[in-house]
Amino acid sequence: MSRKGFIIGLAALILTVNIGIASGNDLTPLEQLGKNLFFDANLSTPPGQSCAACHAPEAGFTGPDSNINATQAIYPGAVHTRAGNRKPPTAAYGGESPVMYYDAGESLWIGGMFWDGRATGWTLGDPLAEQALGPFLNPLEQNLPQARLVLIRVAHSDYADLFEEVWGPGSLDFKKDVAGTYERIGRSISAYEKSAEVNPFSSKFDLFWDNVGDEATVKAINMSNWEDYKGLGLEDNEVLGLALFNDETKGKCSLCHVLDSSSSGYPVFTDFTYDNLGIPKNPMNPFYSMPKKWNPDGLDWIDPGLGGFLANLDESFFISLSLDKTINVNENYGKHKVPTLRNVDKRPYPGFVKSYGHNGYFKSLEEITHFYNTRDVEVWPVPEVSENVNTDELGNLGLTLEEEAAIVAFMKSLTDGYTPPLP
């Protein structure tokens, strides 16, 4: 899609945000069906909560409530006295995440969806489709008691005909083929979340990427050559931020938020691995006060991250990979998925607060960048999980405040919907 197309597409998205399931811009029928499902607030008990309630386009497909982001960061479910335990990650730019696998050479788990990777893709071959099906049946989120009820609600929706147009006559069967029909819902939402409407690659950085015209060159921009790339679409301070972002002796950001081009031709700024950054507990996390049915540990609850998911797998699975289950679970305790940085600063208005980290502890890009820089040399609250904290790539980077600001400026250039100034 051309850059003009990106801008037109963004304008169309803005026009349809408030009406949710209105016709999309250049969406395929499958993508449009996925969009209808994504914005359908009737797919919860009680009705009123859609996927977009926690993944809104105007906030970069993350949480759209500034007050919640500024405080607890974790969103209430359809039953508003209930809440999960992690902040909503972006629903955009996730389609490149591979089916989860273990890289024995690097001793790393890669791929999957959710902060803890539990939507592995092992069942459907598509982590994004598996992730899309989770919240509907989660009592702390959309709270539908069974998949069949999701299907019945869809069958009585105003887009039921589109469902059968896309998947064929009889495909919306909530009596004899609950599993197959539910899977088609997940695959439809996945198609929308992979669409150009959700992943337009229309940021100021993308213009710069096009102007430079070579992936290897952009990845090689560092502190010794960054001034050679002024005037190519980024402001000078943003180019400096990119140099610091890339530099393996300074910012070190690109070690995890890689600039490798995706199938789109542009980077999505994640290597899809898992890491423990040493983030403190979020004391305002509402999960601490959830009933014992969901949180038997109360205030003592610790988020195990990837390690918690792995602990629930059968030991034979680890044996098949020549791994010791106990060791592997312990090595991944407290680790969470490296998120994309796309739209990390996208917000509906300037004073809107966004939260950062798997638990939303940080309330600005400036704050989390300073944490990355100074975690081990300034006074911060203790990590929620002290094991497996990454001390190689963050914690004592030695950046000046001006260099931190440059990295933040660069990350802000990753916001979609950029319109170049007229010549």
Side-chain angles (χ1 to χ4, degrees), residues 66-103:
S66 182
N67 290 330
I68 291 176
N69 296 340
T71 53
Q72 65 188 48
I74 285 78
Y75 276 61
V79 178
H80 286 179
T81 56
R82 302 176 188 170
N85 50 29
R86 300 179 183 123
K87 62 149 282 191
T90 178
Y93 295 104
E96 296 285 334
S97 189
V99 173
M100 182 181 274
Y101 68 97
Y102 185 72
D103 185 327

PDB file of all heavy atoms in Angstrom, residues 66-103:
ATOM      1  N   SER A  66      -7.564   6.750  30.115  1.00  0.00           N
ATOM      2  CA  SER A  66      -6.410   7.437  30.703  1.00  0.00           C
ATOM      3  C   SER A  66      -6.367   7.285  32.215  1.00  0.00           C
ATOM      4  O   SER A  66      -5.290   7.102  32.804  1.00  0.00           O
ATOM      5  CB  SER A  66      -6.446   8.922  30.329  1.00  0.00           C
ATOM      6  OG  SER A  66      -5.323   9.612  30.838  1.00  0.00           O
ATOM      7  N   ASN A  67      -7.525   7.340  32.872  1.00  0.00           N
ATOM      8  CA  ASN A  67      -7.555   7.233  34.338  1.00  0.00           C
ATOM      9  C   ASN A  67      -7.124   5.845  34.807  1.00  0.00           C
ATOM     10  O   ASN A  67      -6.382   5.716  35.787  1.00  0.00           O
ATOM     11  CB  ASN A  67      -8.956   7.550  34.857  1.00  0.00           C
ATOM     12  CG  ASN A  67      -9.315   9.015  34.695  1.00  0.00           C
ATOM     13  OD1 ASN A  67      -8.437   9.880  34.739  1.00  0.00           O
ATOM     14  ND2 ASN A  67     -10.591   9.306  34.490  1.00  0.00           N
ATOM     15  N   ILE A  68      -7.581   4.801  34.106  1.00  0.00           N
ATOM     16  CA  ILE A  68      -7.151   3.450  34.459  1.00  0.00           C
ATOM     17  C   ILE A  68      -5.662   3.295  34.224  1.00  0.00           C
ATOM     18  O   ILE A  68      -4.934   2.743  35.062  1.00  0.00           O
ATOM     19  CB  ILE A  68      -7.942   2.402  33.651  1.00  0.00           C
ATOM     20  CG1 ILE A  68      -9.402   2.371  34.104  1.00  0.00           C
ATOM     21  CG2 ILE A  68      -7.317   1.010  33.808  1.00  0.00           C
ATOM     22  CD1 ILE A  68     -10.279   1.431  33.308  1.00  0.00           C
ATOM     23  N   ASN A  69      -5.177   3.787  33.090  1.00  0.00           N
ATOM     24  CA  ASN A  69      -3.748   3.676  32.793  1.00  0.00           C
ATOM     25  C   ASN A  69      -2.906   4.393  33.840  1.00  0.00           C
ATOM     26  O   ASN A  69      -1.819   3.919  34.204  1.00  0.00           O
ATOM     27  CB  ASN A  69      -3.455   4.268  31.412  1.00  0.00           C
ATOM     28  CG  ASN A  69      -4.128   3.513  30.289  1.00  0.00           C
ATOM     29  OD1 ASN A  69      -4.518   2.359  30.451  1.00  0.00           O
ATOM     30  ND2 ASN A  69      -4.278   4.165  29.147  1.00  0.00           N
ATOM     31  N   ALA A  70      -3.391   5.521  34.320  1.00  0.00           N
ATOM     32  CA  ALA A  70      -2.634   6.328  35.285  1.00  0.00           C
ATOM     33  C   ALA A  70      -2.645   5.727  36.685  1.00  0.00           C
ATOM     34  O   ALA A  70      -1.840   6.111  37.535  1.00  0.00           O
ATOM     35  CB  ALA A  70      -3.198   7.744  35.341  1.00  0.00           C
ATOM     36  N   THR A  71      -3.524   4.763  36.919  1.00  0.00           N
ATOM     37  CA  THR A  71      -3.646   4.176  38.254  1.00  0.00           C
ATOM     38  C   THR A  71      -3.366   2.675  38.191  1.00  0.00           C
ATOM     39  O   THR A  71      -2.232   2.248  38.117  1.00  0.00           O
ATOM     40  CB  THR A  71      -5.033   4.469  38.850  1.00  0.00           C
ATOM     41  OG1 THR A  71      -6.060   4.045  37.930  1.00  0.00           O
ATOM     42  CG2 THR A  71      -5.199   5.960  39.107  1.00  0.00           C
ATOM     43  N   GLN A  72      -4.419   1.867  38.143  1.00  0.00           N
ATOM     44  CA  GLN A  72      -4.219   0.423  38.262  1.00  0.00           C
ATOM     45  C   GLN A  72      -3.641  -0.212  37.003  1.00  0.00           C
ATOM     46  O   GLN A  72      -2.987  -1.255  37.069  1.00  0.00           O
ATOM     47  CB  GLN A  72      -5.545  -0.249  38.615  1.00  0.00           C
ATOM     48  CG  GLN A  72      -6.626  -0.152  37.548  1.00  0.00           C
ATOM     49  CD  GLN A  72      -7.967  -0.674  38.035  1.00  0.00           C
ATOM     50  OE1 GLN A  72      -8.419  -0.316  39.124  1.00  0.00           O
ATOM     51  NE2 GLN A  72      -8.597  -1.521  37.241  1.00  0.00           N
ATOM     52  N   ALA A  73      -3.888   0.378  35.830  1.00  0.00           N
ATOM     53  CA  ALA A  73      -3.347  -0.069  34.532  1.00  0.00           C
ATOM     54  C   ALA A  73      -3.982  -1.363  34.023  1.00  0.00           C
ATOM     55  O   ALA A  73      -4.030  -1.593  32.827  1.00  0.00           O
ATOM     56  CB  ALA A  73      -1.830  -0.223  34.578  1.00  0.00           C
ATOM     57  N   ILE A  74      -4.452  -2.220  34.921  1.00  0.00           N
ATOM     58  CA  ILE A  74      -5.110  -3.460  34.527  1.00  0.00           C
ATOM     59  C   ILE A  74      -6.606  -3.169  34.411  1.00  0.00           C
ATOM     60  O   ILE A  74      -7.196  -2.535  35.298  1.00  0.00           O
ATOM     61  CB  ILE A  74      -4.844  -4.587  35.547  1.00  0.00           C
ATOM     62  CG1 ILE A  74      -3.412  -5.115  35.407  1.00  0.00           C
ATOM     63  CG2 ILE A  74      -5.800  -5.749  35.357  1.00  0.00           C
ATOM     64  CD1 ILE A  74      -2.335  -4.274  36.004  1.00  0.00           C
ATOM     65  N   TYR A  75      -7.235  -3.644  33.337  1.00  0.00           N
ATOM     66  CA  TYR A  75      -8.609  -3.263  33.030  1.00  0.00           C
ATOM     67  C   TYR A  75      -9.632  -4.202  33.666  1.00  0.00           C
ATOM     68  O   TYR A  75      -9.403  -5.414  33.727  1.00  0.00           O
ATOM     69  CB  TYR A  75      -8.805  -3.211  31.513  1.00  0.00           C
ATOM     70  CG  TYR A  75      -8.358  -1.884  30.945  1.00  0.00           C
ATOM     71  CD1 TYR A  75      -7.036  -1.480  31.073  1.00  0.00           C
ATOM     72  CD2 TYR A  75      -9.254  -1.016  30.355  1.00  0.00           C
ATOM     73  CE1 TYR A  75      -6.615  -0.246  30.600  1.00  0.00           C
ATOM     74  CE2 TYR A  75      -8.848   0.222  29.880  1.00  0.00           C
ATOM     75  CZ  TYR A  75      -7.528   0.606  29.999  1.00  0.00           C
ATOM     76  OH  TYR A  75      -7.121   1.830  29.550  1.00  0.00           O
ATOM     77  N   PRO A  76     -10.761  -3.638  34.130  1.00  0.00           N
ATOM     78  CA  PRO A  76     -11.838  -4.489  34.638  1.00  0.00           C
ATOM     79  C   PRO A  76     -12.466  -5.287  33.506  1.00  0.00           C
ATOM     80  O   PRO A  76     -12.403  -4.901  32.334  1.00  0.00           O
ATOM     81  CB  PRO A  76     -12.833  -3.487  35.226  1.00  0.00           C
ATOM     82  CG  PRO A  76     -12.575  -2.216  34.479  1.00  0.00           C
ATOM     83  CD  PRO A  76     -11.099  -2.212  34.195  1.00  0.00           C
ATOM     84  N   GLY A  77     -13.083  -6.415  33.867  1.00  0.00           N
ATOM     85  CA  GLY A  77     -13.761  -7.230  32.886  1.00  0.00           C
ATOM     86  C   GLY A  77     -15.201  -6.797  32.687  1.00  0.00           C
ATOM     87  O   GLY A  77     -15.624  -5.729  33.155  1.00  0.00           O
ATOM     88  N   ALA A  78     -15.981  -7.630  32.002  1.00  0.00           N
ATOM     89  CA  ALA A  78     -17.395  -7.331  31.788  1.00  0.00           C
ATOM     90  C   ALA A  78     -18.129  -7.212  33.126  1.00  0.00           C
ATOM     91  O   ALA A  78     -19.024  -6.383  33.288  1.00  0.00           O
ATOM     92  CB  ALA A  78     -18.029  -8.414  30.923  1.00  0.00           C
ATOM     93  N   VAL A  79     -17.729  -8.052  34.085  1.00  0.00           N
ATOM     94  CA  VAL A  79     -18.170  -7.872  35.472  1.00  0.00           C
ATOM     95  C   VAL A  79     -17.157  -6.928  36.108  1.00  0.00           C
ATOM     96  O   VAL A  79     -16.012  -7.297  36.338  1.00  0.00           O
ATOM     97  CB  VAL A  79     -18.219  -9.217  36.225  1.00  0.00           C
ATOM     98  CG1 VAL A  79     -18.629  -8.990  37.676  1.00  0.00           C
ATOM     99  CG2 VAL A  79     -19.183 -10.178  35.540  1.00  0.00           C
ATOM    100  N   HIS A  80     -17.552  -5.704  36.355  1.00  0.00           N
ATOM    101  CA  HIS A  80     -16.581  -4.652  36.644  1.00  0.00           C
ATOM    102  C   HIS A  80     -15.899  -4.765  38.000  1.00  0.00           C
ATOM    103  O   HIS A  80     -14.968  -4.003  38.284  1.00  0.00           O
ATOM    104  CB  HIS A  80     -17.246  -3.280  36.484  1.00  0.00           C
ATOM    105  CG  HIS A  80     -17.475  -2.922  35.039  1.00  0.00           C
ATOM    106  ND1 HIS A  80     -18.072  -1.754  34.637  1.00  0.00           N
ATOM    107  CD2 HIS A  80     -17.184  -3.600  33.887  1.00  0.00           C
ATOM    108  CE1 HIS A  80     -18.137  -1.714  33.312  1.00  0.00           C
ATOM    109  NE2 HIS A  80     -17.604  -2.820  32.845  1.00  0.00           N
ATOM    110  N   THR A  81     -16.357  -5.691  38.825  1.00  0.00           N
ATOM    111  CA  THR A  81     -15.657  -5.930  40.086  1.00  0.00           C
ATOM    112  C   THR A  81     -14.524  -6.944  39.917  1.00  0.00           C
ATOM    113  O   THR A  81     -13.833  -7.258  40.879  1.00  0.00           O
ATOM    114  CB  THR A  81     -16.638  -6.428  41.158  1.00  0.00           C
ATOM    115  OG1 THR A  81     -17.300  -7.597  40.671  1.00  0.00           O
ATOM    116  CG2 THR A  81     -17.654  -5.339  41.502  1.00  0.00           C
ATOM    117  N   ARG A  82     -14.361  -7.464  38.720  1.00  0.00           N
ATOM    118  CA  ARG A  82     -13.300  -8.428  38.435  1.00  0.00           C
ATOM    119  C   ARG A  82     -12.261  -7.798  37.504  1.00  0.00           C
ATOM    120  O   ARG A  82     -12.580  -6.933  36.700  1.00  0.00           O
ATOM    121  CB  ARG A  82     -13.872  -9.685  37.771  1.00  0.00           C
ATOM    122  CG  ARG A  82     -14.935 -10.400  38.570  1.00  0.00           C
ATOM    123  CD  ARG A  82     -15.488 -11.577  37.760  1.00  0.00           C
ATOM    124  NE  ARG A  82     -16.644 -12.197  38.393  1.00  0.00           N
ATOM    125  CZ  ARG A  82     -17.409 -13.102  37.812  1.00  0.00           C
ATOM    126  NH1 ARG A  82     -17.133 -13.507  36.562  1.00  0.00           N
ATOM    127  NH2 ARG A  82     -18.452 -13.621  38.441  1.00  0.00           N
ATOM    128  N   ALA A  83     -11.038  -8.276  37.624  1.00  0.00           N
ATOM    129  CA  ALA A  83      -9.973  -7.798  36.728  1.00  0.00           C
ATOM    130  C   ALA A  83      -8.897  -8.866  36.628  1.00  0.00           C
ATOM    131  O   ALA A  83      -8.712  -9.665  37.556  1.00  0.00           O
ATOM    132  CB  ALA A  83      -9.368  -6.492  37.254  1.00  0.00           C
ATOM    133  N   GLY A  84      -8.217  -8.881  35.521  1.00  0.00           N
ATOM    134  CA  GLY A  84      -7.095  -9.792  35.339  1.00  0.00           C
ATOM    135  C   GLY A  84      -5.863  -9.309  36.072  1.00  0.00           C
ATOM    136  O   GLY A  84      -5.951  -8.486  36.999  1.00  0.00           O
ATOM    137  N   ASN A  85      -4.702  -9.783  35.664  1.00  0.00           N
ATOM    138  CA  ASN A  85      -3.489  -9.455  36.419  1.00  0.00           C
ATOM    139  C   ASN A  85      -2.419  -8.741  35.605  1.00  0.00           C
ATOM    140  O   ASN A  85      -1.360  -8.414  36.140  1.00  0.00           O
ATOM    141  CB  ASN A  85      -2.887 -10.727  37.027  1.00  0.00           C
ATOM    142  CG  ASN A  85      -2.730 -11.845  36.027  1.00  0.00           C
ATOM    143  OD1 ASN A  85      -2.554 -11.619  34.835  1.00  0.00           O
ATOM    144  ND2 ASN A  85      -2.800 -13.081  36.509  1.00  0.00           N
ATOM    145  N   ARG A  86      -2.675  -8.480  34.306  1.00  0.00           N
ATOM    146  CA  ARG A  86      -1.681  -7.791  33.473  1.00  0.00           C
ATOM    147  C   ARG A  86      -2.364  -6.721  32.636  1.00  0.00           C
ATOM    148  O   ARG A  86      -3.532  -6.835  32.310  1.00  0.00           O
ATOM    149  CB  ARG A  86      -0.954  -8.784  32.563  1.00  0.00           C
ATOM    150  CG  ARG A  86      -0.214  -9.875  33.323  1.00  0.00           C
ATOM    151  CD  ARG A  86       0.473 -10.852  32.373  1.00  0.00           C
ATOM    152  NE  ARG A  86       1.117 -11.928  33.129  1.00  0.00           N
ATOM    153  CZ  ARG A  86       0.873 -13.227  32.964  1.00  0.00           C
ATOM    154  NH1 ARG A  86      -0.001 -13.619  32.034  1.00  0.00           N
ATOM    155  NH2 ARG A  86       1.500 -14.125  33.687  1.00  0.00           N
ATOM    156  N   LYS A  87      -1.619  -5.695  32.265  1.00  0.00           N
ATOM    157  CA  LYS A  87      -2.173  -4.648  31.412  1.00  0.00           C
ATOM    158  C   LYS A  87      -2.350  -5.181  29.995  1.00  0.00           C
ATOM    159  O   LYS A  87      -1.629  -6.096  29.563  1.00  0.00           O
ATOM    160  CB  LYS A  87      -1.272  -3.410  31.404  1.00  0.00           C
ATOM    161  CG  LYS A  87       0.113  -3.625  30.860  1.00  0.00           C
ATOM    162  CD  LYS A  87       0.669  -2.376  30.193  1.00  0.00           C
ATOM    163  CE  LYS A  87       0.072  -2.232  28.814  1.00  0.00           C
ATOM    164  NZ  LYS A  87       0.727  -1.208  27.981  1.00  0.00           N
ATOM    165  N   PRO A  88      -3.303  -4.648  29.240  1.00  0.00           N
ATOM    166  CA  PRO A  88      -3.507  -5.141  27.883  1.00  0.00           C
ATOM    167  C   PRO A  88      -2.347  -4.751  26.966  1.00  0.00           C
ATOM    168  O   PRO A  88      -2.036  -3.562  26.840  1.00  0.00           O
ATOM    169  CB  PRO A  88      -4.814  -4.470  27.446  1.00  0.00           C
ATOM    170  CG  PRO A  88      -4.979  -3.298  28.350  1.00  0.00           C
ATOM    171  CD  PRO A  88      -4.311  -3.648  29.641  1.00  0.00           C
ATOM    172  N   PRO A  89      -1.712  -5.714  26.324  1.00  0.00           N
ATOM    173  CA  PRO A  89      -0.702  -5.379  25.321  1.00  0.00           C
ATOM    174  C   PRO A  89      -1.397  -4.904  24.050  1.00  0.00           C
ATOM    175  O   PRO A  89      -2.620  -5.047  23.907  1.00  0.00           O
ATOM    176  CB  PRO A  89       0.015  -6.713  25.101  1.00  0.00           C
ATOM    177  CG  PRO A  89      -1.042  -7.737  25.359  1.00  0.00           C
ATOM    178  CD  PRO A  89      -1.919  -7.158  26.444  1.00  0.00           C
ATOM    179  N   THR A  90      -0.660  -4.364  23.127  1.00  0.00           N
ATOM    180  CA  THR A  90      -1.269  -3.961  21.877  1.00  0.00           C
ATOM    181  C   THR A  90      -1.737  -5.175  21.087  1.00  0.00           C
ATOM    182  O   THR A  90      -1.099  -6.231  21.099  1.00  0.00           O
ATOM    183  CB  THR A  90      -0.292  -3.133  21.024  1.00  0.00           C
ATOM    184  OG1 THR A  90      -0.942  -2.794  19.783  1.00  0.00           O
ATOM    185  CG2 THR A  90       0.980  -3.906  20.711  1.00  0.00           C
ATOM    186  N   ALA A  91      -2.892  -5.016  20.425  1.00  0.00           N
ATOM    187  CA  ALA A  91      -3.396  -6.067  19.543  1.00  0.00           C
ATOM    188  C   ALA A  91      -2.871  -5.890  18.123  1.00  0.00           C
ATOM    189  O   ALA A  91      -3.198  -6.676  17.238  1.00  0.00           O
ATOM    190  CB  ALA A  91      -4.918  -6.056  19.529  1.00  0.00           C
ATOM    191  N   ALA A  92      -2.074  -4.854  17.891  1.00  0.00           N
ATOM    192  CA  ALA A  92      -1.526  -4.586  16.562  1.00  0.00           C
ATOM    193  C   ALA A  92      -0.104  -5.134  16.446  1.00  0.00           C
ATOM    194  O   ALA A  92       0.589  -5.340  17.442  1.00  0.00           O
ATOM    195  CB  ALA A  92      -1.522  -3.082  16.288  1.00  0.00           C
ATOM    196  N   TYR A  93       0.304  -5.352  15.222  1.00  0.00           N
ATOM    197  CA  TYR A  93       1.673  -5.760  14.899  1.00  0.00           C
ATOM    198  C   TYR A  93       2.093  -7.053  15.598  1.00  0.00           C
ATOM    199  O   TYR A  93       3.251  -7.249  15.917  1.00  0.00           O
ATOM    200  CB  TYR A  93       2.660  -4.624  15.203  1.00  0.00           C
ATOM    201  CG  TYR A  93       2.439  -3.424  14.321  1.00  0.00           C
ATOM    202  CD1 TYR A  93       1.807  -2.273  14.795  1.00  0.00           C
ATOM    203  CD2 TYR A  93       2.844  -3.437  12.989  1.00  0.00           C
ATOM    204  CE1 TYR A  93       1.587  -1.173  13.977  1.00  0.00           C
ATOM    205  CE2 TYR A  93       2.629  -2.342  12.156  1.00  0.00           C
ATOM    206  CZ  TYR A  93       2.003  -1.214  12.649  1.00  0.00           C
ATOM    207  OH  TYR A  93       1.785  -0.136  11.829  1.00  0.00           O
ATOM    208  N   GLY A  94       1.128  -7.947  15.835  1.00  0.00           N
ATOM    209  CA  GLY A  94       1.447  -9.228  16.464  1.00  0.00           C
ATOM    210  C   GLY A  94       1.447 -10.401  15.515  1.00  0.00           C
ATOM    211  O   GLY A  94       1.799 -11.515  15.902  1.00  0.00           O
ATOM    212  N   GLY A  95       1.041 -10.160  14.267  1.00  0.00           N
ATOM    213  CA  GLY A  95       0.870 -11.258  13.339  1.00  0.00           C
ATOM    214  C   GLY A  95       2.144 -11.945  12.904  1.00  0.00           C
ATOM    215  O   GLY A  95       2.104 -13.059  12.368  1.00  0.00           O
ATOM    216  N   GLU A  96       3.288 -11.301  13.142  1.00  0.00           N
ATOM    217  CA  GLU A  96       4.556 -11.922  12.762  1.00  0.00           C
ATOM    218  C   GLU A  96       5.087 -12.871  13.838  1.00  0.00           C
ATOM    219  O   GLU A  96       6.075 -13.572  13.612  1.00  0.00           O
ATOM    220  CB  GLU A  96       5.611 -10.833  12.499  1.00  0.00           C
ATOM    221  CG  GLU A  96       5.293  -9.916  11.339  1.00  0.00           C
ATOM    222  CD  GLU A  96       5.510 -10.570   9.984  1.00  0.00           C
ATOM    223  OE1 GLU A  96       6.328 -11.504   9.895  1.00  0.00           O
ATOM    224  OE2 GLU A  96       4.859 -10.142   9.011  1.00  0.00           O
ATOM    225  N   SER A  97       4.450 -12.882  14.998  1.00  0.00           N
ATOM    226  CA  SER A  97       4.935 -13.744  16.079  1.00  0.00           C
ATOM    227  C   SER A  97       4.784 -15.208  15.675  1.00  0.00           C
ATOM    228  O   SER A  97       3.687 -15.654  15.350  1.00  0.00           O
ATOM    229  CB  SER A  97       4.161 -13.486  17.370  1.00  0.00           C
ATOM    230  OG  SER A  97       4.744 -14.167  18.462  1.00  0.00           O
ATOM    231  N   PRO A  98       5.859 -15.979  15.697  1.00  0.00           N
ATOM    232  CA  PRO A  98       5.772 -17.362  15.226  1.00  0.00           C
ATOM    233  C   PRO A  98       5.104 -18.274  16.242  1.00  0.00           C
ATOM    234  O   PRO A  98       4.910 -17.910  17.406  1.00  0.00           O
ATOM    235  CB  PRO A  98       7.240 -17.749  15.033  1.00  0.00           C
ATOM    236  CG  PRO A  98       7.982 -16.913  16.028  1.00  0.00           C
ATOM    237  CD  PRO A  98       7.231 -15.607  16.083  1.00  0.00           C
ATOM    238  N   VAL A  99       4.718 -19.452  15.778  1.00  0.00           N
ATOM    239  CA  VAL A  99       4.318 -20.509  16.695  1.00  0.00           C
ATOM    240  C   VAL A  99       5.457 -20.726  17.684  1.00  0.00           C
ATOM    241  O   VAL A  99       6.636 -20.785  17.293  1.00  0.00           O
ATOM    242  CB  VAL A  99       4.007 -21.806  15.920  1.00  0.00           C
ATOM    243  CG1 VAL A  99       3.754 -22.961  16.881  1.00  0.00           C
ATOM    244  CG2 VAL A  99       2.817 -21.598  14.996  1.00  0.00           C
ATOM    245  N   MET A 100       5.131 -20.795  18.962  1.00  0.00           N
ATOM    246  CA  MET A 100       6.183 -20.863  19.977  1.00  0.00           C
ATOM    247  C   MET A 100       7.096 -22.070  19.772  1.00  0.00           C
ATOM    248  O   MET A 100       6.628 -23.182  19.525  1.00  0.00           O
ATOM    249  CB  MET A 100       5.574 -20.911  21.379  1.00  0.00           C
ATOM    250  CG  MET A 100       6.632 -20.940  22.493  1.00  0.00           C
ATOM    251  SD  MET A 100       5.920 -21.032  24.142  1.00  0.00           S
ATOM    252  CE  MET A 100       5.662 -19.289  24.447  1.00  0.00           C
ATOM    253  N   TYR A 101       8.390 -21.828  19.896  1.00  0.00           N
ATOM    254  CA  TYR A 101       9.378 -22.902  19.784  1.00  0.00           C
ATOM    255  C   TYR A 101      10.556 -22.602  20.700  1.00  0.00           C
ATOM    256  O   TYR A 101      10.734 -21.455  21.155  1.00  0.00           O
ATOM    257  CB  TYR A 101       9.849 -23.075  18.342  1.00  0.00           C
ATOM    258  CG  TYR A 101      10.671 -21.914  17.798  1.00  0.00           C
ATOM    259  CD1 TYR A 101      12.071 -21.956  17.798  1.00  0.00           C
ATOM    260  CD2 TYR A 101      10.050 -20.781  17.267  1.00  0.00           C
ATOM    261  CE1 TYR A 101      12.821 -20.912  17.299  1.00  0.00           C
ATOM    262  CE2 TYR A 101      10.790 -19.728  16.765  1.00  0.00           C
ATOM    263  CZ  TYR A 101      12.174 -19.796  16.779  1.00  0.00           C
ATOM    264  OH  TYR A 101      12.921 -18.747  16.284  1.00  0.00           O
ATOM    265  N   TYR A 102      11.333 -23.629  20.960  1.00  0.00           N
ATOM    266  CA  TYR A 102      12.508 -23.474  21.819  1.00  0.00           C
ATOM    267  C   TYR A 102      13.763 -23.473  20.957  1.00  0.00           C
ATOM    268  O   TYR A 102      14.008 -24.400  20.185  1.00  0.00           O
ATOM    269  CB  TYR A 102      12.584 -24.606  22.837  1.00  0.00           C
ATOM    270  CG  TYR A 102      13.709 -24.430  23.842  1.00  0.00           C
ATOM    271  CD1 TYR A 102      13.624 -23.453  24.825  1.00  0.00           C
ATOM    272  CD2 TYR A 102      14.846 -25.233  23.802  1.00  0.00           C
ATOM    273  CE1 TYR A 102      14.647 -23.271  25.748  1.00  0.00           C
ATOM    274  CE2 TYR A 102      15.868 -25.074  24.723  1.00  0.00           C
ATOM    275  CZ  TYR A 102      15.770 -24.081  25.694  1.00  0.00           C
ATOM    276  OH  TYR A 102      16.786 -23.906  26.607  1.00  0.00           O
ATOM    277  N   ASP A 103      14.525 -22.400  21.064  1.00  0.00           N
ATOM    278  CA  ASP A 103      15.794 -22.282  20.360  1.00  0.00           C
ATOM    279  C   ASP A 103      16.888 -22.823  21.277  1.00  0.00           C
ATOM    280  O   ASP A 103      17.323 -22.144  22.213  1.00  0.00           O
ATOM    281  CB  ASP A 103      16.064 -20.816  20.005  1.00  0.00           C
ATOM    282  CG  ASP A 103      17.319 -20.621  19.165  1.00  0.00           C
ATOM    283  OD1 ASP A 103      18.296 -21.386  19.343  1.00  0.00           O
ATOM    284  OD2 ASP A 103      17.327 -19.695  18.332  1.00  0.00           O
TER     285      ASP A 103
END
